[in-house]
Amino acid sequence: CMNYVFPASYAWGNFTVLAVGIWAIVQRDSLDAIVMFLTGLLLTVLTDIIHISVFYPPNNYLTDVKRFSIGMAIFSLLLKPVSCYLVYRMYRERGGE
C-alpha cells in the first residue's frame, strides 16, 4: 500500500531500521547494535514527518488505498517514540550511559 503514496525511500528507510533492530535483538551483548537501532529510529521519525508532509495528496485525489496508507504511516510515526523509549531502556540495561 505504501507504493501508492510514498516514494521508495520511505520503505527502504523503515525496512533498514527494522533489519538493524533484528540485529540488535539477536546480538544481546553488542552495545553498538542498540545504539545504531536507536539512532535509526530517531532518524526515521524525522524522515517520516518529512515524507508525510511532502507527499500528502490533495483531498480530491484521496482514494481509500491512499487514505489507508497514510493512516498506517501516521500510526507508525505515533508508535515510534514508544519504541525509542523501550530501545533506550534496553540500551541502559546493556550498560550504556
Side-chain angles (χ1 to χ4, degrees):
C1 290
M2 290 184 297
N3 198 16
Y4 293 106
V5 179
F6 299 117
S9 60
Y10 178 81
W12 277 104
N14 284 308
F15 288 139
T16 303
V17 170
L18 179 66
V20 172
I22 292 170
W23 174 49
I25 290 171
V26 170
Q27 295 286 329
R28 293 204 175 265
D29 57 342
S30 175
L31 197 61
D32 293 336
I34 201 76
V35 168
M36 285 181 60
F37 184 43
L38 184 59
T39 305
L41 273 174
L42 292 172
L43 185 65
T44 56
V45 167
L46 178 67
T47 58
D48 286 356
I49 291 170
I50 293 170
H51 276 107
I52 291 170
S53 62
V54 169
F55 293 103
Y56 194 85
N59 282 338
N60 52 349
Y61 292 111
L62 274 176
T63 62
D64 290 337
V65 174
K66 288 181 182 181
R67 196 172 288 133
F68 178 76
S69 297
I70 293 169
M72 288 296 108
I74 292 171
F75 185 64
S76 171
L77 180 61
L78 290 174
L79 286 179
K80 280 189 183 179
V82 175
S83 299
C84 288
Y85 173 72
L86 294 174
V87 170
Y88 180 71
R89 285 189 52 204
M90 285 176 55
Y91 170 73
R92 298 287 292 175
E93 288 174 2
R94 292 184 185 186
E97 295 183 20

